[in-house]
Amino acid sequence: MDYTILILLVPVLLFLILGLCGQRMKPSTAGLLGTTGLAVITALAYATAWQYFGSGRVDGVWQPLTVFNVEWLHFTEHLHIDLGILLDPISVMMLVVITTVSLMVHIYSLGYMKGERGFQRYYAFLSLFSFSMLGLVVATNIFQMYIFWELVGVSSYLLIGFYYTKPAAVAASKKAFIVTRFADLGFLIGILLLSFYSQTFNFADLMQGTSLSSAAGVTFMGGSVVAWALALIFIGGAGKSAMFPLHIWLPDAMEGPTPVSALIHAATMVVAGVYLVARMFPLYVTEAPGVLEGIAVVGAFTSLYAAVVACVQTDIKRVLAFSTISQIGFMMVALGVSGMGGHAGLGYMAGMFHLFTHAMFKALLFLCAGAIIHTIGSNEMSAMGGLRKYMPWTHITFLFACLAISGIPPFSGFFSKDEILAAAFMYSSWMGIWMSGVAGLTAFYMFRLYYNIFWGKEAVREHTPHEAPFSMTIPLMFLAVVTLCAGFIPFGKFVSSNGAGYIIHLDWKVALVSVLIACIAIGLARRLYCKGTSAIPGRLATDFGWFYRAATHRFYLDEVYLFITKRIIFAGVSRGIAWFDRHIIDGTMNLMAYVTQQVAFSIRTFQSGQVQQYAFVFLLGTLIMVLVLVL
């Protein structure tokens, strides 16, 4: 499978061509070039998946394949940074996810971004992002992953800030970049700790466990050094995947073009943290089971927090943003409650399955939102209502995605979310009940969104809404079909915690309860929002008072961050450090310079350039020396 190197070379070549020569092209030419290139990459990714899974297992297990590897930086005999391509079940699955969603976004953008200033630049940035994300998932070692991890951050910064003339977009791009950089510092420190004791960056060597024998017995604050390293690595993943409290950048990232939200903030970049934990999963299980439990707790809390906030948002893209945060929390819970192999590995398989299905239906939701915004010209639900009559294709595809994320059979989300709930109940009854409640909230806020957009009371509009152009509806139809059918894929046969096949068996008790909860939530949303005339939502907002206001303001997490940074760090700590720097450090240097200057000024006459003065001083000195010697 040597051709897999083209999966990385084609997008970086497209980025260079569109970035350097795009302004000399017609916008349509640049768009078609970028889309055609992505279609080629998608075909290669599907061929890779077909060949990899078609080759069969060895001893009942899917074997990892390193199809390309070159040493880049050499440190010691064992410690070196390589650049290569690693194929195993989760990397091949991610190749399919990234290329599929990216291709749909490329096609969709031909219509959505038509006429936008910087059209060529937009497609160049999309190619850069695709290259970065693909390089991340096929990395053969953790340092290569970190390199592409940072490239993904740069790509996200460029795409969020695409509308650089809008102050809100610029602020959002900086916020995303800064927050994720703080998290990535933890990732880097974790990598350095892990490589210091293991003397390797390669995933294959790290997963064997024997490379960490030198770390045995090394502890810090009661935890092993390996556990600390893995916890720090998770912090990097939590930042990229917008886990609480590092989630604050994602809702504001909706300032970027809506197709970017579908690609980056629904299906690819935000699941990088989930992929990171899955890639390092054997180490978490064997070396840091406590950290793995912590990941489950963080995921569970994040999923509930984001679901509550999503219930009161009025901007449709922000509802979907908090929905994304909540669903990634589900994936983290699945990994956190899982073990290795067999039925113990149910959570791992379920988390990866939900990553796959969620990528499809959440990308569909964002692209439908883009079609709505494209025709309405607003993100606010109050500007919508009754759109099912004007946008039938968008309506039916949006409904498919809502049913999927709510866990209604036979849509894909039902199968993946049910397995997560089964794994949660197997781990703890309380965890299962908690996540079932979050699943109910998910159904409620998604159908609150659906009814407010497509049913409800029609807003007064200056023009009649219309369906999106063909280039935008084709991706919606494709993703809707995938959303309907993906649940029937025997996913456990391809992806599992130990590489062996896992036959999925639905836990009908859990499934029936979860579907019942979802149906009740949908019925409640219909009662409150279908006609758009009910006074109950307003009364509930009044009755909940401070809680409703707090949820509307995201529980003031942004204000807390601003208080800590501006009032404590900048005004308190930084001001004192700045005073010490100006008055003590700079003052000391200035004093030394002043003393030197004054001394130099006082003895400047010794270097006057007058020969008579030099002779006088010489004779005077000689006379003094003679007198001293004589006396």
Side-chain angles (χ1 to χ4, degrees):
M1 290 188 283
D2 293 340
Y3 61 84
T4 51
I5 188 65
L6 294 174
I7 295 175
L8 296 183
L9 292 180
V10 172
V12 75
L13 184 63
L14 285 171
F15 166 66
L16 293 173
I17 292 173
L18 293 173
L20 296 175
C21 307
Q23 294 303 316
R24 299 182 180 89
M25 302 178 186
K26 293 181 179 179
S28 58
T29 303
L32 289 173
L33 179 61
T35 304
T36 303
L38 228 295
V40 171
I41 299 167
T42 305
L44 292 173
Y46 276 71
T48 301
W50 179 269
Q51 188 172 352
Y52 178 81
F53 289 118
S55 62
R57 303 182 182 91
V58 177
D59 297 327
V61 176
W62 297 110
Q63 298 296 318
L65 299 176
T66 302
V67 296
F68 174 79
N69 197 64
V70 60
E71 186 177 290
W72 181 42
L73 293 176
H74 183 88
F75 299 114
T76 66
E77 181 182 354
H78 301 289
L79 189 63
H80 45 83
I81 300 175
D82 298 345
L83 298 177
I85 295 177
L86 173 66
L87 298 180
D88 67 353
I90 60 171
S91 65
V92 172
M93 181 268 292
M94 287 299 293
L95 286 179
V96 172
V97 169
I98 295 166
T99 54
T100 300
V101 176
S102 186
L103 178 59
M104 293 301 105
V105 168
H106 275 71
I107 296 172
Y108 182 92
S109 298
L110 292 172
Y112 187 89
M113 298 297 290
K114 185 177 181 180
E116 289 278 3
R117 180 184 176 188
F119 187 87
Q120 300 93 323
R121 174 168 52 89
Y122 171 80
Y123 272 89
F125 291 164
L126 284 184
S127 298
L128 175 62
F129 174 81
S130 299
F131 163 70
S132 305
M133 195 66 208
L134 290 167
L136 187 155
V137 299
V138 298
T140 59
N141 62 86
I142 195 168
F143 210 95
Q144 180 187 345
M145 177 182 275
Y146 181 76
I147 293 169
F148 283 96
W149 188 277
E150 295 305 314
L151 278 174
V152 166
V154 171
S155 307
S156 174
Y157 170 80
L158 294 172
L159 285 166
I160 295 170
F162 176 77
Y163 297 120
Y164 60 86
T165 55
K166 293 172 56 180
V170 174
S173 63
K174 291 191 291 186
K175 185 177 183 179
F177 191 78
I178 292 169
V179 171
T180 52
R181 293 295 72 70
F182 275 105
D184 293 351
L185 176 61
F187 188 11
L188 179 59
I189 295 172
I191 291 172
L192 296 177
L193 276 174
L194 205 59
S195 61
F196 177 80
Y197 287 99
S198 65
Q199 288 297 297
T200 184
F201 293 116
N202 289 335
F203 288 125
D205 297 330
L206 285 170
M207 296 311 122
Q208 290 176 357
T210 55
S211 59
L212 290 168
S213 56
S214 62
V218 182
T219 62
F220 176 71
M221 295 179 64
S224 71
V225 70
V226 177
W228 277 105
L230 291 172
L232 288 166
I233 287 172
F234 170 67
I235 289 174
K240 198 72 82 182
S241 289
M243 291 290 96
F244 185 93
L246 299 171
H247 66 283
I248 59 169
W249 64 270
L250 184 56
D252 291 343
M254 299 301 107
E255 292 293 339
T258 303
V260 169
S261 301
L263 176 62
I264 296 181
H265 308 127
T268 53
M269 188 188 92
V270 290
V271 298
V274 179
Y275 180 80
L276 174 62
V277 176
R279 171 59 71 200
M280 306 290 290
F281 188 72
L283 271 185
Y284 279 104
V285 172
T286 57
E287 302 290 341
V291 174
L292 203 57
E293 291 184 353
I295 291 172
V297 171
V298 170
F301 180 81
T302 301
S303 62
L304 177 62
Y305 163 82
V308 170
V309 175
C311 288
V312 298
Q313 298 298 303
T314 58
D315 182 316
I316 64 173
K317 288 179 67 176
R318 278 177 167 73
V319 173
L320 296 179
F322 279 103
S323 171
T324 300
I325 296 171
S326 182
Q327 295 303 302
I328 294 171
F330 268 89
M331 301 172 206
M332 289 294 189
V333 167
L335 293 173
V337 302
S338 184
M340 283 294 292
H343 202 50
L346 172 62
Y348 181 94
M349 184 281 300
M352 293 296 97
F353 194 14
H354 198 57
L355 187 156
F356 179 83
T357 59
H358 173 265
M360 302 304 167
F361 61 67
K362 186 52 67 66
L364 175 57
L365 284 167
F366 269 108
L367 294 183
C368 286
I372 295 162
I373 295 167
H374 188 262
T375 190
I376 296 296
S378 173
N379 294 18
E380 290 294 322
M381 294 183 202
S382 58
M384 302 169 192
L387 291 181
R388 69 189 186 283
K389 296 179 292 185
Y390 308 103
M391 307 179 73
W393 284 111
T394 304
H395 169 236
I396 192 65
T397 53
F398 194 92
L399 178 59
F400 273 31
C402 286
L403 291 168
I405 197 172
S406 299
I408 302 298
F411 296 91
S412 58
F414 163 75
F415 296 94
S416 57
K417 187 176 287 187
D418 177 74
E419 295 303 322
I420 292 177
L421 294 177
F425 273 108
M426 191 167 65
Y427 172 79
S428 162
S429 297
W430 286 107
M431 182 66 80
I433 293 169
W434 181 288
M435 298 311 296
S436 296
V438 176
L441 282 175
T442 302
F444 173 77
Y445 68 68
M446 286 309 305
F447 274 87
R448 168 182 176 264
L449 181 65
Y450 165 75
Y451 284 119
N452 274 320
I453 294 173
F454 294 103
W455 296 75
K457 184 179 180 180
E458 286 194 43
V460 178
R461 306 183 182 100
E462 295 182 359
H463 62 276
T464 303
H466 56 83
E467 188 60 89
F470 189 66
S471 62
M472 293 170 64
T473 53
I474 283 294
L476 302 186
M477 297 175 193
F478 175 83
L479 290 171
V481 171
V482 175
T483 295
L484 179 61
C485 301
F488 297 100
I489 297 173
F491 195 82
K493 291 185 177 181
F494 304 108
V495 178
S496 63
S497 59
N498 60 355
Y502 180 84
I503 305 301
I504 298 175
H505 297 288
L506 282 176
D507 187 328
W508 286 107
K509 183 179 178 181
V510 173
L512 290 173
V513 171
S514 66
V515 171
L516 177 62
I517 292 172
C519 289
I520 292 172
I522 294 170
L524 180 60
R526 187 180 188 280
R527 173 73 177 84
L528 296 177
Y529 302 105
C530 183
K531 295 182 180 179
T533 57
S534 175
I536 298 176
R539 289 204 304 268
L540 288 173
T542 303
D543 292 342
F544 278 95
W546 67 268
F547 186 81
Y548 180 87
R549 291 191 298 273
T552 303
H553 291 88
R554 314 174 196 177
F555 292 97
Y556 302 103
L557 260 296
D558 287 82
E559 287 77 4
V560 170
Y561 271 99
L562 286 174
F563 177 80
I564 292 173
T565 53
K566 287 189 174 182
R567 297 294 181 86
I568 297 177
I569 297 177
F570 295 156
V573 178
S574 297
R575 181 173 293 177
I577 294 173
W579 183 92
F580 182 84
D581 179 62
R582 285 194 302 269
H583 293 85
I584 305 301
I585 304 298
D586 289 353
T588 301
M589 295 298 105
N590 291 339
L591 178 62
M592 291 172 63
Y594 175 78
V595 171
T596 302
Q597 185 183 37
Q598 293 302 311
V599 171
F601 184 80
S602 64
I603 63 173
R604 71 190 187 283
T605 55
F606 288 114
Q607 295 292 332
S608 64
Q610 296 179 6
V611 177
Q612 300 92 327
Q613 185 180 9
Y614 294 163
F616 173 76
V617 173
F618 174 76
L619 292 173
L620 182 62
T622 302
L623 180 60
I624 291 171
M625 291 177 63
V626 169
L627 291 173
V628 169
L629 292 173
V630 171
L631 297 175

